[in-house]
Coordinates of all heavy atoms in Angstrom, one line a residue:
P1114 N 0.8 -1.2 0.0 CA 0.0 0.0 0.0 C 0.9 1.3 0.0 O 1.7 1.4 0.9 CB -0.8 -0.1 1.3 CG -0.5 -1.4 1.9 CD 0.6 -2.0 1.1
D1115 N 0.6 2.1 -1.0 CA 1.5 3.3 -1.1 C 0.7 4.5 -1.4 O 1.2 5.5 -1.8 CB 2.6 3.1 -2.1 CG 2.1 2.8 -3.5 OD1 0.9 2.8 -3.7 OD2 3.0 2.6 -4.3
G1116 N -0.7 4.4 -1.4 CA -1.5 5.6 -1.6 C -2.0 5.8 -3.0 O -2.8 6.6 -3.3
D1117 N -1.4 5.0 -4.0 CA -2.0 5.1 -5.3 C -3.2 4.2 -5.4 O -3.6 3.6 -4.4 CB -0.9 4.7 -6.4 CG -0.5 3.2 -6.4 OD1 -1.1 2.4 -5.6 OD2 0.4 2.9 -7.1
E1118 N -3.8 4.0 -6.5 CA -5.1 3.3 -6.6 C -4.9 1.8 -6.8 O -5.8 1.0 -6.8 CB -5.9 3.8 -7.8 CG -5.3 3.6 -9.1 CD -6.1 4.3 -10.2 OE1 -7.0 3.6 -10.7 OE2 -5.8 5.4 -10.6
Y1119 N -3.6 1.3 -6.8 CA -3.4 -0.1 -7.1 C -2.8 -0.8 -5.8 O -2.0 -0.3 -5.1 CB -2.4 -0.3 -8.2 CG -2.9 0.4 -9.5 CD1 -2.4 1.6 -9.9 CD2 -3.9 -0.2 -10.2 CE1 -2.8 2.2 -11.1 CE2 -4.4 0.4 -11.4 CZ -3.8 1.6 -11.8 OH -4.3 2.2 -12.9
N1120 N -3.2 -2.1 -5.6 CA -2.7 -2.9 -4.6 C -2.7 -2.3 -3.2 O -1.7 -2.3 -2.5 CB -1.3 -3.3 -4.9 CG -1.2 -4.1 -6.2 OD1 -2.1 -4.9 -6.5 ND2 -0.2 -3.9 -7.0
Q1121 N -3.8 -1.7 -2.8 CA -3.9 -1.1 -1.5 C -4.2 -2.1 -0.4 O -4.1 -1.8 0.8 CB -5.0 0.0 -1.5 CG -4.6 1.1 -2.4 CD -3.3 1.7 -2.1 OE1 -3.0 2.2 -1.0 NE2 -2.4 1.6 -3.1
T1122 N -4.7 -3.3 -0.7 CA -4.9 -4.3 0.2 C -4.3 -5.7 -0.3 O -4.2 -5.9 -1.5 CB -6.4 -4.6 0.6 OG1 -7.1 -4.9 -0.6 CG2 -7.0 -3.3 1.2
W1123 N -4.0 -6.5 0.7 CA -3.5 -7.9 0.4 C -4.7 -8.8 0.7 O -5.2 -8.8 1.8 CB -2.3 -8.2 1.2 CG -1.9 -9.7 1.1 CD1 -1.3 -10.2 0.0 CD2 -2.1 -10.7 2.1 NE1 -1.1 -11.6 0.3 CE2 -1.6 -11.9 1.5 CE3 -2.7 -10.7 3.3 CZ2 -1.6 -13.1 2.2 CZ3 -2.7 -11.9 4.0 CH2 -2.2 -13.1 3.5
N1124 N -5.2 -9.5 -0.3 CA -6.3 -10.4 -0.2 C -5.9 -11.8 -0.5 O -5.0 -12.0 -1.3 CB -7.4 -10.0 -1.1 CG -8.0 -8.6 -0.8 OD1 -7.4 -7.9 -0.1 ND2 -9.2 -8.3 -1.4
I1125 N -6.6 -12.7 0.1 CA -6.4 -14.2 -0.2 C -7.7 -14.6 -0.9 O -8.8 -14.1 -0.7 CB -6.1 -15.0 1.0 CG1 -7.2 -14.9 2.1 CG2 -4.8 -14.6 1.6 CD1 -8.0 -16.2 2.1
Y1126 N -7.5 -15.7 -1.7 CA -8.6 -16.3 -2.4 C -8.6 -17.8 -2.1 O -7.6 -18.4 -2.3 CB -8.6 -16.1 -3.9 CG -8.7 -14.6 -4.2 CD1 -7.5 -13.9 -4.5 CD2 -9.9 -13.9 -4.3 CE1 -7.6 -12.5 -4.7 CE2 -10.0 -12.6 -4.5 CZ -8.8 -11.9 -4.8 OH -8.9 -10.5 -5.0
I1127 N -9.6 -18.3 -1.5 CA -9.6 -19.7 -1.0 C -11.0 -20.3 -1.3 O -12.0 -19.6 -1.1 CB -9.2 -19.8 0.5 CG1 -8.9 -21.2 0.9 CG2 -10.1 -19.1 1.4 CD1 -8.1 -21.3 2.2
E1128 N -11.0 -21.5 -1.7 CA -12.3 -22.2 -2.0 C -12.3 -23.5 -1.3 O -11.3 -24.1 -1.0 CB -12.5 -22.4 -3.5 CG -12.6 -21.1 -4.3 CD -12.8 -21.3 -5.7 OE1 -12.8 -22.5 -6.2 OE2 -13.0 -20.3 -6.5
G1129 N -13.5 -24.1 -1.1 CA -13.7 -25.4 -0.6 C -13.4 -25.5 0.9 O -13.2 -26.6 1.4
V1130 N -13.5 -24.4 1.6 CA -13.3 -24.4 3.1 C -14.5 -23.8 3.7 O -15.3 -23.1 3.1 CB -12.0 -23.6 3.5 CG1 -10.8 -24.3 2.9 CG2 -12.1 -22.2 3.1
D1131 N -14.7 -24.0 5.0 CA -15.8 -23.5 5.8 C -15.4 -22.0 6.2 O -14.6 -21.8 7.0 CB -16.0 -24.3 7.0 CG -17.2 -23.9 7.9 OD1 -17.8 -22.8 7.5 OD2 -17.4 -24.5 8.9
I1132 N -16.1 -21.1 5.5 CA -15.8 -19.6 5.8 C -16.2 -19.2 7.2 O -15.8 -18.1 7.6 CB -16.4 -18.7 4.7 CG1 -17.9 -18.8 4.7 CG2 -15.8 -19.0 3.3 CD1 -18.6 -17.7 3.9
Y1133 N -17.0 -20.0 7.9 CA -17.4 -19.7 9.2 C -16.4 -20.3 10.2 O -16.6 -20.1 11.4 CB -18.8 -20.2 9.5 CG -19.8 -19.5 8.5 CD1 -20.3 -20.2 7.5 CD2 -20.1 -18.2 8.7 CE1 -21.2 -19.7 6.6 CE2 -21.0 -17.6 7.8 CZ -21.5 -18.3 6.7 OH -22.4 -17.7 5.9
D1134 N -15.4 -21.0 9.8 CA -14.4 -21.6 10.6 C -13.0 -21.2 10.0 O -12.2 -22.1 9.7 CB -14.6 -23.1 10.7 CG -13.6 -23.8 11.6 OD1 -13.0 -23.1 12.5 OD2 -13.5 -25.0 11.6
F1135 N -12.8 -19.9 9.8 CA -11.7 -19.4 9.1 C -10.9 -18.4 10.0 O -11.5 -17.6 10.7 CB -12.1 -18.6 7.9 CG -11.1 -17.9 7.1 CD1 -10.3 -18.5 6.1 CD2 -10.8 -16.6 7.4 CE1 -9.3 -17.9 5.4 CE2 -9.8 -15.9 6.7 CZ -9.1 -16.5 5.7
N1136 N -9.6 -18.6 10.1 CA -8.7 -17.8 10.9 C -7.4 -17.5 10.1 O -6.7 -18.4 9.7 CB -8.3 -18.5 12.2 CG -9.5 -18.9 13.0 OD1 -10.2 -18.0 13.5 ND2 -9.8 -20.1 13.1
L1137 N -7.2 -16.2 9.9 CA -6.0 -15.7 9.2 C -5.2 -14.8 10.1 O -5.8 -13.8 10.6 CB -6.4 -15.0 7.9 CG -5.3 -14.2 7.2 CD1 -4.1 -15.1 6.7 CD2 -5.9 -13.5 6.0
F1138 N -3.9 -15.1 10.3 CA -3.1 -14.3 11.1 C -1.8 -13.8 10.3 O -1.3 -14.6 9.5 CB -2.6 -15.0 12.3 CG -3.7 -15.5 13.2 CD1 -4.2 -16.8 13.0 CD2 -4.2 -14.7 14.2 CE1 -5.3 -17.2 13.8 CE2 -5.3 -15.1 15.0 CZ -5.8 -16.3 14.8
V1139 N -1.4 -12.6 10.4 CA -0.2 -12.0 9.8 C 0.7 -11.7 11.0 O 0.3 -10.9 11.9 CB -0.5 -10.8 8.9 CG1 0.8 -10.3 8.4 CG2 -1.5 -11.2 7.8
Y1140 N 2.0 -12.2 10.9 CA 3.0 -11.9 11.9 C 4.1 -11.1 11.4 O 4.5 -11.3 10.3 CB 3.5 -13.3 12.4 CG 2.5 -14.2 13.0 CD1 1.8 -15.1 12.2 CD2 2.2 -14.2 14.4 CE1 0.9 -16.0 12.7 CE2 1.3 -15.1 14.9 CZ 0.6 -16.0 14.1 OH -0.3 -16.8 14.6
N1141 N 4.7 -10.3 12.3 CA 5.9 -9.6 11.9 C 7.1 -10.5 12.2 O 6.9 -11.6 12.6 CB 6.1 -8.2 12.6 CG 6.1 -8.4 14.1 OD1 6.4 -9.4 14.7 ND2 5.9 -7.2 14.8
R1142 N 8.3 -10.1 12.0 CA 9.5 -10.9 12.1 C 9.8 -11.3 13.6 O 10.6 -12.2 13.9 CB 10.7 -10.3 11.5 CG 11.1 -9.0 12.1 CD 12.3 -8.4 11.4 NE 12.5 -7.0 11.8 CZ 13.4 -6.3 11.2 NH1 14.3 -6.8 10.3 NH2 13.6 -5.0 11.6
W1143 N 9.1 -10.7 14.5 CA 9.3 -11.0 15.9 C 8.2 -11.9 16.5 O 8.1 -12.2 17.6 CB 9.4 -9.7 16.8 CG 10.5 -8.9 16.4 CD1 11.8 -9.1 16.8 CD2 10.5 -7.7 15.6 NE1 12.6 -8.1 16.2 CE2 11.8 -7.2 15.5 CE3 9.5 -7.0 14.9 CZ2 12.2 -6.1 14.7 CZ3 9.8 -5.9 14.2 CH2 11.2 -5.5 14.1
G1144 N 7.3 -12.3 15.6 CA 6.2 -13.2 15.9 C 5.0 -12.6 16.5 O 4.1 -13.3 17.0
Q1145 N 4.9 -11.3 16.4 CA 3.8 -10.5 16.9 C 2.7 -10.5 15.9 O 3.0 -10.3 14.7 CB 4.2 -9.1 17.3 CG 3.1 -8.2 17.8 CD 3.6 -6.8 18.1 OE1 4.5 -6.4 17.5 NE2 2.9 -6.1 18.9
V1146 N 1.5 -10.8 16.3 CA 0.3 -10.7 15.3 C 0.1 -9.2 15.0 O -0.2 -8.4 15.9 CB -0.9 -11.3 15.9 CG1 -2.1 -11.1 15.0 CG2 -0.7 -12.8 16.2
V1147 N 0.2 -8.9 13.7 CA 0.0 -7.5 13.3 C -1.4 -7.3 12.7 O -1.9 -6.2 12.5 CB 1.1 -7.0 12.4 CG1 2.4 -6.9 13.2 CG2 1.2 -7.8 11.2
W1148 N -2.0 -8.4 12.3 CA -3.4 -8.4 11.7 C -4.0 -9.8 11.8 O -3.3 -10.8 11.7 CB -3.3 -7.9 10.3 CG -4.6 -7.7 9.6 CD1 -5.5 -6.7 9.9 CD2 -5.2 -8.5 8.6 NE1 -6.6 -6.9 9.1 CE2 -6.5 -8.0 8.3 CE3 -4.8 -9.7 8.0 CZ2 -7.3 -8.5 7.4 CZ3 -5.7 -10.2 7.0 CH2 -6.9 -9.6 6.7
E1149 N -5.3 -9.8 12.0 CA -6.0 -11.1 12.0 C -7.4 -10.8 11.4 O -7.9 -9.7 11.5 CB -6.1 -11.7 13.3 CG -7.0 -11.1 14.3 CD -7.1 -11.8 15.6 OE1 -6.2 -11.6 16.5 OE2 -8.0 -12.6 15.8
S1150 N -7.9 -11.9 10.8 CA -9.2 -11.8 10.1 C -9.9 -13.2 10.3 O -9.2 -14.2 10.3 CB -9.1 -11.5 8.7 OG -10.4 -11.5 8.1
H1151 N -11.2 -13.1 10.4 CA -12.0 -14.3 10.5 C -13.0 -14.3 9.4 O -14.0 -15.1 9.4 CB -12.7 -14.4 11.9 CG -11.7 -14.4 13.0 ND1 -10.9 -15.4 13.3 CD2 -11.3 -13.4 13.8 CE1 -10.1 -15.1 14.3 NE2 -10.3 -13.8 14.6
D1152 N -12.7 -13.5 8.4 CA -13.6 -13.4 7.2 C -12.6 -13.4 5.9 O -11.9 -12.4 5.8 CB -14.4 -12.1 7.2 CG -15.3 -11.9 6.1 OD1 -15.2 -12.6 5.0 OD2 -16.2 -11.0 6.2
P1153 N -12.7 -14.4 5.1 CA -11.8 -14.5 4.0 C -12.0 -13.4 2.9 O -11.1 -13.2 2.1 CB -12.0 -15.9 3.4 CG -13.3 -16.3 3.9 CD -13.6 -15.6 5.2
S1154 N -13.1 -12.6 3.0 CA -13.3 -11.6 2.0 C -12.7 -10.2 2.4 O -12.7 -9.3 1.6 CB -14.8 -11.4 1.8 OG -15.4 -10.9 2.9
I1155 N -12.1 -10.2 3.6 CA -11.5 -8.9 4.0 C -10.0 -8.9 3.8 O -9.4 -9.9 4.2 CB -11.8 -8.7 5.5 CG1 -13.4 -8.5 5.7 CG2 -11.1 -7.4 6.0 CD1 -13.8 -8.4 7.1
G1156 N -9.5 -7.9 3.2 CA -8.0 -7.8 3.0 C -7.3 -6.9 4.0 O -7.9 -6.1 4.6
W1157 N -6.0 -7.1 4.1 CA -5.1 -6.4 5.0 C -4.6 -5.2 4.2 O -4.1 -5.2 3.1 CB -4.0 -7.3 5.5 CG -3.1 -6.6 6.4 CD1 -3.4 -5.7 7.4 CD2 -1.6 -6.7 6.4 NE1 -2.2 -5.4 8.1 CE2 -1.1 -6.0 7.5 CE3 -0.7 -7.4 5.7 CZ2 0.2 -5.9 7.8 CZ3 0.6 -7.4 6.0 CH2 1.1 -6.6 7.1
D1158 N -4.7 -4.0 4.9 CA -4.2 -2.8 4.3 C -2.8 -2.3 4.7 O -2.4 -1.2 4.5 CB -5.2 -1.6 4.6 CG -5.3 -1.3 6.1 OD1 -4.7 -2.0 6.9 OD2 -6.1 -0.4 6.4
G1159 N -2.1 -3.2 5.3 CA -0.7 -2.9 5.7 C -0.6 -2.1 7.0 O 0.4 -1.4 7.2
Q1160 N -1.7 -2.0 7.8 CA -1.7 -1.2 9.0 C -1.6 -2.1 10.2 O -2.1 -3.2 10.2 CB -3.0 -0.4 9.0 CG -3.2 0.5 7.8 CD -2.7 1.9 8.1 OE1 -2.8 2.4 9.2 NE2 -2.2 2.5 7.1
F1161 N -1.1 -1.5 11.3 CA -1.1 -2.2 12.6 C -1.2 -1.0 13.6 O -0.5 -0.1 13.6 CB 0.3 -2.9 12.8 CG 0.4 -3.5 14.2 CD1 -0.5 -4.4 14.7 CD2 1.4 -3.1 15.0 CE1 -0.4 -4.9 16.0 CE2 1.6 -3.6 16.3 CZ 0.6 -4.5 16.8
N1162 N -2.3 -1.1 14.4 CA -2.6 -0.1 15.4 C -2.8 1.3 14.7 O -2.3 2.3 15.3 CB -1.6 0.0 16.5 CG -1.7 -1.2 17.4 OD1 -2.8 -1.8 17.6 ND2 -0.6 -1.5 18.1
G1163 N -3.4 1.3 13.5 CA -3.6 2.6 12.8 C -2.4 3.2 12.1 O -2.5 4.3 11.6
R1164 N -1.3 2.5 12.1 CA -0.1 3.0 11.4 C 0.4 2.0 10.4 O 0.3 0.8 10.6 CB 1.0 3.3 12.5 CG 0.5 4.4 13.5 CD 1.6 4.6 14.5 NE 2.7 5.2 13.9 CZ 3.9 5.4 14.5 NH1 4.1 4.9 15.7 NH2 4.9 5.9 13.9
S1165 N 1.0 2.5 9.4 CA 1.6 1.6 8.3 C 2.7 0.8 8.9 O 3.5 1.4 9.6 CB 2.0 2.4 7.1 OG 1.0 3.1 6.5
V1166 N 2.8 -0.4 8.6 CA 3.9 -1.3 9.1 C 5.1 -0.9 8.2 O 5.0 -0.4 7.2 CB 3.5 -2.8 9.0 CG1 2.4 -3.1 9.9 CG2 3.3 -3.2 7.5
M1167 N 6.3 -1.3 8.8 CA 7.5 -1.1 8.1 C 7.6 -2.0 6.8 O 6.9 -3.1 6.8 CB 8.7 -1.5 9.0 CG 8.8 -0.6 10.2 SD 10.2 -1.0 11.3 CE 11.0 -2.5 10.7
E1168 N 8.3 -1.6 5.8 CA 8.6 -2.5 4.7 C 9.3 -3.8 5.2 O 10.0 -3.7 6.1 CB 9.5 -1.8 3.7 CG 8.8 -0.7 2.9 CD 9.7 -0.2 1.7 OE1 10.8 -0.7 1.6 OE2 9.2 0.6 1.0
G1169 N 9.0 -4.8 4.5 CA 9.6 -6.1 4.9 C 8.7 -7.3 4.6 O 7.7 -7.2 4.0
T1170 N 9.1 -8.4 5.1 CA 8.4 -9.7 4.9 C 7.6 -10.0 6.1 O 8.2 -10.0 7.2 CB 9.4 -10.8 4.5 OG1 10.2 -10.4 3.4 CG2 8.7 -12.1 4.3
Y1171 N 6.4 -10.4 5.9 CA 5.5 -10.8 7.0 C 5.0 -12.2 6.7 O 4.7 -12.5 5.5 CB 4.3 -9.8 7.1 CG 4.8 -8.4 7.5 CD1 5.4 -7.5 6.6 CD2 4.7 -8.1 8.9 CE1 5.8 -6.3 7.1 CE2 5.1 -6.8 9.3 CZ 5.7 -6.0 8.4 OH 6.2 -4.7 8.8
T1172 N 4.8 -13.0 7.7 CA 4.4 -14.3 7.6 C 2.9 -14.4 7.9 O 2.4 -13.8 8.8 CB 5.1 -15.2 8.6 OG1 6.5 -15.1 8.4 CG2 4.7 -16.7 8.5
W1173 N 2.2 -15.2 7.0 CA 0.8 -15.4 7.3 C 0.5 -16.9 7.5 O 1.2 -17.7 7.0 CB -0.1 -14.8 6.1 CG 0.2 -15.4 4.8 CD1 1.1 -14.9 3.8 CD2 -0.3 -16.6 4.2 NE1 1.1 -15.6 2.7 CE2 0.3 -16.7 2.9 CE3 -1.1 -17.6 4.6 CZ2 0.0 -17.8 2.1 CZ3 -1.4 -18.7 3.8 CH2 -0.8 -18.8 2.5
V1174 N -0.5 -17.1 8.3 CA -1.0 -18.5 8.6 C -2.5 -18.5 8.6 O -3.2 -17.7 9.2 CB -0.5 -18.9 10.0 CG1 -1.1 -20.3 10.3 CG2 1.0 -18.9 10.1
I1175 N -3.0 -19.5 7.8 CA -4.5 -19.7 7.7 C -4.8 -21.0 8.4 O -4.2 -22.0 8.1 CB -5.0 -19.7 6.3 CG1 -4.7 -18.3 5.6 CG2 -6.4 -20.1 6.2 CD1 -5.1 -18.3 4.1
D1176 N -5.7 -21.0 9.3 CA -6.2 -22.2 10.0 C -7.7 -22.2 9.6 O -8.4 -21.3 10.0 CB -6.0 -22.1 11.5 CG -6.6 -23.3 12.2 OD1 -6.3 -24.5 11.7 OD2 -7.3 -23.1 13.2
V1177 N -8.1 -23.3 9.0 CA -9.5 -23.3 8.5 C -10.0 -24.8 8.5 O -9.3 -25.7 8.4 CB -9.6 -22.7 7.0 CG1 -8.8 -23.6 6.1 CG2 -11.0 -22.5 6.6
G1178 N -11.3 -24.9 8.6 CA -12.0 -26.2 8.5 C -12.3 -26.6 7.1 O -12.7 -25.7 6.3
N1179 N -12.1 -27.8 6.8 CA -12.5 -28.4 5.5 C -14.0 -28.3 5.3 O -14.7 -28.7 6.2 CB -12.0 -29.8 5.3 CG -12.1 -30.3 3.9 OD1 -13.0 -30.1 3.2 ND2 -11.1 -31.1 3.5
L1180 N -14.5 -28.0 4.2 CA -16.0 -27.9 3.9 C -16.6 -29.3 3.9 O -17.8 -29.4 4.3 CB -16.2 -27.1 2.6 CG -17.6 -26.7 2.4 CD1 -18.1 -25.8 3.5 CD2 -17.7 -25.9 1.0
V1181 N -15.9 -30.3 3.5 CA -16.5 -31.6 3.3 C -16.5 -32.4 4.6 O -17.4 -33.2 4.8 CB -15.7 -32.4 2.2 CG1 -16.2 -33.8 2.0 CG2 -15.7 -31.6 0.9
N1182 N -15.4 -32.3 5.4 CA -15.3 -33.1 6.6 C -14.8 -32.2 7.7 O -14.6 -31.0 7.5 CB -14.5 -34.3 6.4 CG -13.1 -34.0 5.9 OD1 -12.5 -33.0 6.3 ND2 -12.5 -34.8 5.1
D1183 N -14.5 -32.7 8.9 CA -14.1 -31.9 10.0 C -12.6 -31.7 10.1 O -12.0 -31.3 11.1 CB -14.5 -32.5 11.3 CG -16.0 -32.4 11.5 OD1 -16.6 -31.4 11.0 OD2 -16.6 -33.2 12.2
E1184 N -11.9 -32.0 9.0 CA -10.4 -31.9 8.9 C -10.0 -30.5 9.1 O -10.6 -29.6 8.5 CB -9.9 -32.5 7.6 CG -8.4 -32.4 7.4 CD -8.0 -32.9 6.0 OE1 -8.8 -33.1 5.2 OE2 -6.8 -33.0 5.8
R1185 N -8.9 -30.2 9.8 CA -8.3 -28.9 10.0 C -7.2 -28.8 8.9 O -6.4 -29.7 8.7 CB -7.6 -28.7 11.3 CG -8.5 -28.8 12.5 CD -9.6 -27.8 12.6 NE -9.2 -26.5 12.5 CZ -10.0 -25.5 12.2 NH1 -11.3 -25.7 12.0 NH2 -9.6 -24.2 12.2
L1186 N -7.3 -27.6 8.2 CA -6.3 -27.3 7.2 C -5.5 -26.1 7.7 O -6.0 -25.2 8.2 CB -7.0 -27.1 5.9 CG -7.9 -28.2 5.3 CD1 -8.7 -27.6 4.2 CD2 -7.0 -29.4 4.9
T1187 N -4.2 -26.2 7.4 CA -3.3 -25.0 7.8 C -2.5 -24.7 6.5 O -1.9 -25.6 5.9 CB -2.4 -25.4 8.9 OG1 -3.2 -25.7 10.1 CG2 -1.5 -24.2 9.3
Y1188 N -2.5 -23.5 6.2 CA -1.7 -22.9 5.1 C -0.8 -21.8 5.6 O -1.2 -21.1 6.5 CB -2.6 -22.4 4.0 CG -3.5 -23.4 3.4 CD1 -4.8 -23.4 3.9 CD2 -3.2 -24.3 2.4 CE1 -5.8 -24.4 3.4 CE2 -4.1 -25.2 1.9 CZ -5.4 -25.3 2.4 OH -6.3 -26.2 1.9
N1189 N 0.4 -21.6 5.0 CA 1.2 -20.5 5.4 C 2.1 -20.0 4.3 O 2.2 -20.7 3.3 CB 2.1 -20.8 6.7 CG 3.0 -22.0 6.4 OD1 3.7 -22.0 5.4 ND2 2.9 -23.0 7.2
G1190 N 2.6 -18.8 4.4 CA 3.4 -18.2 3.4 C 3.9 -16.8 3.9 O 3.8 -16.5 5.1
N1191 N 4.4 -16.1 2.9 CA 4.9 -14.7 3.2 C 4.3 -13.7 2.3 O 3.9 -14.0 1.2 CB 6.4 -14.7 3.0 CG 7.1 -15.6 3.9 OD1 6.9 -15.6 5.1 ND2 7.9 -16.5 3.4
V1192 N 4.2 -12.5 2.8 CA 3.7 -11.4 2.0 C 4.8 -10.3 2.2 O 5.2 -10.0 3.4 CB 2.3 -10.9 2.4 CG1 2.2 -10.5 3.9 CG2 1.9 -9.8 1.5
N1193 N 5.2 -9.6 1.2 CA 6.2 -8.6 1.2 C 5.5 -7.2 1.1 O 4.7 -7.0 0.2 CB 7.2 -8.7 0.1 CG 8.0 -9.9 0.2 OD1 8.6 -10.2 1.3 ND2 8.2 -10.7 -0.8
I1194 N 5.8 -6.3 2.0 CA 5.3 -5.0 2.0 C 6.4 -4.1 1.4 O 7.5 -4.0 1.9 CB 5.0 -4.4 3.4 CG1 3.9 -5.3 4.1 CG2 4.6 -3.0 3.4 CD1 2.5 -5.2 3.4
I1195 N 6.0 -3.5 0.3 CA 7.0 -2.6 -0.5 C 6.2 -1.3 -0.8 O 5.1 -1.3 -1.3 CB 7.4 -3.2 -1.8 CG1 8.1 -4.6 -1.5 CG2 8.3 -2.3 -2.6 CD1 8.3 -5.4 -2.8
R1196 N 6.8 -0.2 -0.4 CA 6.2 1.1 -0.7 C 7.0 1.9 -1.7 O 8.1 1.8 -1.8 CB 6.1 1.9 0.6 CG 5.2 1.2 1.6 CD 4.8 2.2 2.7 NE 4.3 1.6 3.9 CZ 3.3 0.7 4.1 NH1 2.8 0.1 3.1 NH2 2.9 0.3 5.2

């Protein structure tokens, strides 16, 4: 997010999961949760406590229930903030 009209939020797209059993966490390099969502349609705007986070790599973790059975699914990766 840099104030122009492009890429102001980081969104995920996920199918085949229970959207009512969805947890997404974004962590900074010290392991602190800087953002969390329980709705897959909401994107992160690069803010933490009302201020823009520093440029860098942030780790995300999704914990969600499978739509077909009660299996727990966990996905993770990184998102880079560049301004």
